[in-house]
């Protein structure tokens, strides 16, 4: 297999083995929590569908807890053959318990990666919306504290009309509100479970896609298996929302820079 570079895992000791060109572990290892969460839901569903027994389920869940702890603490030993976080987790679980060989039953890497990416994106949106809300609260507090203070409003760096300082602060708050609404709307399309779509056309095994969707907090399950494993629209849409958020934040930053200059002297 073609090789490209010498791997290095998370600042730990360098690995002298050349990594395969298709290796993605350096990038997708950040998905370990989502991968383990998705696997927990999947194996619980397998047990509920009588595809694994209770003893196997218990052993796998204990192994997943151990793997999550090892990765989180930095003690997890990645192998040169771990081409991505998904194979790394499965390999380690199977080392801990032979039942680990069954965790991929009724699942493909395709729907596994898709669910991990959706879980990661959903979590990121939730964290970012929370941060925006906190910034909005700060702006609202500043507006309320400004009282009757008046400042000149500018167009093209030319003085235009006098406005209250609170009116200025809230102008940024309203722009951020649109960012919240866009991200919240994008989240509705993120929150669809692709588990059960398999490689591209599902599985003949009697799995329960609604059970895994519910366990992982998804609003709905996929309608078309081909689309489910191929869809990355939600990533592009989220990135657009974040790019526009960046524009709005840069406007605040630029105003701070201008107001701190000697020409303005508003901030000392």
């Amino acid at each position: 297999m073609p090789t490209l570079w010498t791997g290095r895992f998370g600042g730990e000791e360098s690995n002298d083995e050349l990594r395969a060109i298709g290796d993605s572990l350096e990038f997708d290892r950040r998905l370990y929590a989502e991968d383990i969460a998705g696997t927990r839901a999947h194996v619980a569903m397998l047990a509920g569908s009588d595809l694994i027994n209770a003893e196997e389920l218990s052993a796998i869940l204990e192994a997943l807890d151990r793997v999550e702890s090892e990765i989180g603490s930095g003690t997890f030993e990645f192998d040169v053959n771990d081409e991505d976080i998904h194979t790394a987790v499965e390999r380690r679980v199977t080392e801990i318990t032979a039942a680990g060989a069954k965790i991929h039953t009724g699942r493909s890497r395709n729907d596994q990666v898709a669910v991990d990416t959706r879980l990661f994106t959903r979590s990121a949106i939730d964290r970012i919306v929370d941060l925006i809300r906190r910034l909005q609260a700060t702006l609202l507090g500043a507006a309320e504290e400004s009282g009757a203070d008046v400042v000149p409003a500018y167009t093209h760096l030319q003085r235009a009309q006098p406005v209250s300082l609170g009116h200025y602060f809230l102008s940024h708050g309203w722009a951020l509100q649109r960012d919240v609404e866009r991200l919240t709307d994008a989240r509705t399309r993120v929150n669809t479970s692709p588990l059960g779509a398999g490689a591209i056309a599902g599985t003949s095994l009697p799995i329960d896609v609604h059970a895994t969707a519910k366990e992982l907090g998804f609003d709905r399950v996929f309608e078309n298996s081909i689309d489910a494993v191929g869809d990355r629209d939600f990533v592009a849409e989220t990135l657009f929302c974040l790019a526009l958020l960046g524009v709005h934040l840069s406007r605040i930053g630029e105003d701070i820079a201008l107001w701190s200059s000697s020409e303005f002297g508003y901030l000392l």
Side-chain angles (χ1 to χ4, degrees):
M1 180 178 289
T3 56
L4 181 62
W5 50 272
T6 301
R8 187 176 182 85
F9 299 118
E12 303 297 330
E13 294 182 1
S14 62
N15 189 314
D16 293 330
E17 298 289 342
L18 289 176
R19 309 290 298 178
I21 194 169
D23 180 287
S24 62
L25 185 57
E26 290 296 306
F27 306 99
D28 61 30
R29 62 179 292 158
R30 71 189 67 183
L31 297 176
Y32 81 90
E34 288 76 16
D35 193 73
I36 291 173
T39 300
R40 285 194 184 104
H42 181 69
V43 295
M45 179 276 296
L46 292 178
S49 301
D50 295 324
L51 293 170
I52 62 175
N53 61 44
E55 291 74 22
E56 290 170 328
L57 173 62
S58 179
I60 292 170
L61 291 178
E62 289 181 8
L64 287 169
D65 289 344
R66 180 172 168 183
V67 171
E68 185 170 38
S69 177
E70 290 176 351
I71 298 178
S73 65
T75 60
F76 187 94
E77 294 185 6
F78 288 97
D79 186 89
V80 68
N81 294 314
D82 294 335
E83 64 181 32
D84 54 34
I85 191 63
H86 322 293
T87 54
V89 169
E90 184 174 352
R91 187 252 320 153
R92 180 63 179 135
V93 169
T94 305
E95 287 176 353
I96 297 171
T97 173
K102 296 185 177 183
I103 66 175
H104 219 53
T105 303
R107 185 176 67 170
S108 165
R109 188 82 60 83
N110 290 356
D111 58 348
Q112 181 181 3
V113 171
V115 78
D116 290 1
T117 306
R118 285 181 181 274
L119 289 173
F120 181 89
T121 305
R122 185 182 69 186
S123 178
I125 288 175
D126 290 344
R127 292 195 306 272
I128 292 166
V129 166
D130 179 65
L131 290 171
I132 296 173
R133 290 297 195 194
R134 290 163 60 183
L135 178 54
Q136 285 181 300
T138 298
L139 290 168
L140 177 59
E144 292 173 340
E145 291 175 7
S146 66
D149 293 344
V150 176
V151 295
Y154 289 79
T155 64
H156 307 286
L157 289 183
Q158 301 297 313
R159 287 186 178 181
Q161 297 171 279
V163 298
S164 70
L165 185 55
H167 195 56
Y168 161 77
F169 285 132
L170 293 180
S171 70
H172 290 302
W174 282 112
L176 292 171
Q177 180 59 27
R178 293 192 297 276
D179 292 317
V180 168
E181 292 170 0
R182 268 185 289 268
L183 284 165
T184 302
D185 183 55
R187 189 187 190 280
T188 64
R189 284 174 287 284
V190 171
N191 212 30
T192 298
S193 176
L195 271 181
I200 196 168
T203 175
S204 60
L205 294 173
I207 64 172
D208 185 348
V209 297
H210 295 283
T212 49
K214 181 179 180 180
E215 179 67 22
L216 293 170
F218 286 114
D219 294 330
R220 66 194 70 81
V221 300
F222 64 92
E223 297 288 348
N224 182 286
S225 63
I226 301 175
D227 181 58
V229 297
D231 173 29
R232 295 298 184 272
D233 297 3
F234 64 92
V235 175
E237 183 178 7
T238 302
L239 289 174
F240 165 76
C241 294
L242 296 180
L244 200 50
L245 168 62
V247 171
H248 293 150
L249 293 176
S250 74
R251 289 177 60 191
I252 298 174
E254 180 64 15
D255 282 351
I256 292 174
L258 286 173
W259 285 17
S260 300
S261 67
S262 58
E263 286 79 3
F264 284 77
Y266 293 172
L267 301 177
L268 301 177

